[in-house]
Structure formats: C-alpha cells, structure tokens
Amino acid sequence: MIVFHWLNRRACSAIVAEIYGVALCFPIALTTIHSIFRPFSRKFQVTPKGIASDHFSFNWPLAAPLIVIWLLTGIAIAKGLGVDLLPESWFPETSYFGHNSTHESGLFLFWSCFNLFVLTVAILAMVDAPRSRFEWFKLEGTVRLQIHDMSFWGVTQTLSETGVQILFSHQPGFSPNVLAKLEFPEKFSLPARVTRYESQGKQWLVTLSFVPLNTNQYRRLVELLFCRPDRWQPLQTPGEFQSLLLLCKSLLRPRILFDRHLLRQPSPFTSLRVHQDSKMVVAGSK
C-alpha cells in the first residue's frame, strides 16, 4: 500500500482500488461464470453514455449483495463485542473472543471494521447523483461579445456544448434574453443568448446559452472543447492518506442527504440543437 500510488504513477490509490474491487466483485463474478457455461447466450452490454438525470437513483441490483454482506459483517462485529442481535441458537456455543488472545481479538475487530467501512462506501457509490448530458470544461480565454453595435471583452470560465460562462471586469450594459455573437480567438464565432448575469464582487459573471448551430459551427466548437493539444492532461489522484480522508468525508456527508439542492437548481443552459447531419460530420472527423 505504501508504494502502490507510486508504482501506478499516481493514477489510483490502493484504498480506492479496494472500493472498486468490492463494488464490482459480484457482477464480474456472475458475468465470468455465465460466460464460461453459456458464452454466446446473450449480447455484450456496455454502460449507456450521454444520459441526463434530474434525480438521485440507487442501483439496487448491484447494491443488494453488498447490503447482505454488510449486515452479516455488522452482526459478526456485534457478536464479537458481546451484543446479541440474533438468537443464541443461530451461533455456535464457542466464542472467538473468548478463546483467543487480546491481540488476535483486536486484529479481528480492526479488519472487520475496515471491511464494514469499505462496504459502506461501496454501497454509497451505488447512488447516482443528478447530472447533465454534457460535460463542462474549465477553459479560460479572452473572447469578444458583440450585441448590436456594442462590443464587450471578457474571459471565459467554463465552456460546454450548450453554453458558456464569461467573467467581465465591469457591469455589462445589456439585459438577459438578448441575442449576441460570441467571437473566439480561434477565428470563429457562435450565436448565443444571454441567460443571466450575477455579481461576484467587483466582477460580473454572465451566462450564455448557444442558439441552434449549423454543422460548421458545431464542429468548430467540438474541436475547441475536445481537440486542443493541451486538453487531456495526465491526472494525479490523491495519496493514500488524502484518499482515506475523502472517503471518510463522503461517508459522513453523503451527497444524497447533503446535496439535495442539486435537484432544485436547474441548469442555466438550454439544450443544444444542431442539424441532423452534425453528429455524422463530427463522427467522421475522429
């Protein structure tokens, strides 16, 4: 565990890998057994991509086996501590803690609590939070916003296939729901509509949603989002101690209880509409 994070070039921590292994152990085991005995009985299924959701959902088929193991582990820990949660007839007369040393009993209790912790985090990982269909990227760059005969210069903060957020150093002199033309340094422009703007101290954050784009505009936007040479940088995950702290935080503050505001905050962007042949053009350019 000490050198695991270093050996994989900080791509994953050992404790997070343990969570993944526990969460996927039952589905992978069942799929492996099914493939051995009936390899061609059904088609291979992949995870659906580009699915939007406005509510929390729980994957009961994946979580059910983990919940059963969690209950059995909790009962075993309680039994070891002398708390009888089930009738005595369900357990043998001998007690593990009564016939072993304090060191062995403490070691058993430690690993049992660790297993319970891993199972709890794995079960919480089965909760899917609300998410948008499109990914949002942090992209800072100077852009020009043209509204009628007026021009405004600002710095982009986030950009996606549906809209953009621009930070201005002064209060913008236009109102929401006005049409505008957004000019990028890459020598192309996109039509957009001002959705809202809000004050952030002495600066103003303006949100715009793109209006229907044609094929060339959509292709240039995709190239800006996904095809920049410096877009995909190697990610370094936190170390073992930081990963443990993050897992404890997710355990003490589960998103399904403390992030309910995600259900009440609609996205400031509208859905992107393009010509039907746009996807064919983009797919052919890959």
Side-chain angles (χ1 to χ4, degrees):
M1 179 177 290
I2 298 176
V3 298
F4 181 85
H5 192 237
W6 173 75
L7 287 175
N8 58 40
R9 297 183 179 180
R10 297 175 175 83
C12 183
S13 63
I15 189 169
V16 174
E18 182 75 13
I19 301 296
Y20 279 118
V22 171
L24 299 176
C25 63
F26 286 100
I28 292 178
L30 293 177
T31 302
T32 303
I33 295 174
H34 184 272
S35 300
I36 292 175
F37 292 99
R38 302 184 63 184
F40 305 106
S41 60
R42 60 185 179 184
K43 297 181 179 180
F44 180 76
Q45 298 180 352
V46 298
T47 305
K49 305 298 190 300
I51 302 299
S53 176
D54 59 352
H55 61 278
F56 285 92
S57 59
F58 190 73
N59 296 305
W60 283 105
L62 298 179
L66 300 180
I67 294 176
V68 174
I69 301 299
W70 189 92
L71 293 174
L72 295 177
T73 305
I75 293 174
I77 295 176
K79 181 64 177 179
L81 295 176
V83 180
D84 295 327
L85 300 179
L86 295 176
E88 290 290 340
S89 58
W90 289 29
F91 295 93
E93 295 182 359
T94 58
S95 173
Y96 178 86
F97 284 86
H99 293 79
N100 293 273
S101 63
T102 304
H103 174 73
E104 293 179 350
S105 301
L107 187 63
F108 172 81
L109 184 61
F110 169 79
W111 284 113
S112 297
C113 293
F114 177 78
N115 292 336
L116 193 67
F117 169 77
V118 172
L119 287 169
T120 305
V121 176
I123 293 174
L124 289 178
M126 301 299 172
V127 179
D128 291 333
R131 59 180 179 179
S132 173
R133 180 182 175 184
F134 301 98
E135 296 291 336
W136 309 98
F137 297 95
K138 183 176 178 60
L139 182 63
E140 295 184 356
T142 304
V143 293
R144 178 187 178 189
L145 187 65
Q146 185 174 355
I147 302 177
H148 302 302
D149 297 334
M150 299 181 297
S151 297
F152 305 90
W153 294 89
V155 179
T156 58
Q157 300 298 301
T158 57
L159 180 67
S160 74
E161 297 179 60
T162 59
V164 61
Q165 288 184 316
I166 306 175
L167 192 65
F168 292 92
S169 59
H170 57 278
Q171 183 176 1
F174 50 83
S175 59
N177 204 33
V178 64
L179 291 176
K181 183 173 70 172
L182 186 62
E183 298 181 358
F184 291 87
E186 288 77 9
K187 297 182 180 180
F188 75 97
S189 60
L190 298 177
R193 182 183 299 274
V194 178
T195 304
R196 69 179 183 184
Y197 58 89
E198 54 186 340
S199 174
Q200 292 189 350
K202 296 182 179 180
Q203 298 177 321
W204 290 80
L205 183 66
V206 178
T207 302
L208 298 96
S209 60
F210 297 133
V211 298
L213 306 178
N214 58 38
T215 300
N216 292 331
Q217 291 172 337
Y218 182 63
R219 181 167 183 167
R220 294 299 301 272
L221 178 60
V222 170
E223 290 176 353
L224 178 63
L225 284 172
F226 304 102
C227 303
R228 295 168 61 93
D230 58 344
R231 165 55 61 196
W232 309 108
Q233 298 292 336
L235 298 179
Q236 294 186 358
T237 60
E240 304 300 336
F241 181 72
Q242 292 179 336
S243 299
L244 182 60
L245 293 180
L246 291 175
L247 292 175
C248 293
K249 181 180 178 180
S250 65
L251 183 63
L252 298 176
R253 294 182 57 88
R255 297 190 64 184
I256 193 173
L257 298 179
F258 293 91
D259 287 347
R260 304 297 296 183
H261 63 278
L262 295 176
L263 301 176
R264 302 187 297 269
Q265 291 183 353
S267 173
F269 306 109
T270 58
S271 300
L272 179 66
R273 294 171 292 175
V274 298
H275 293 296
Q276 294 181 355
D277 58 345
S278 297
K279 294 183 179 179
M280 298 177 60
V281 172
V282 175
S285 63
K286 293 183 180 179

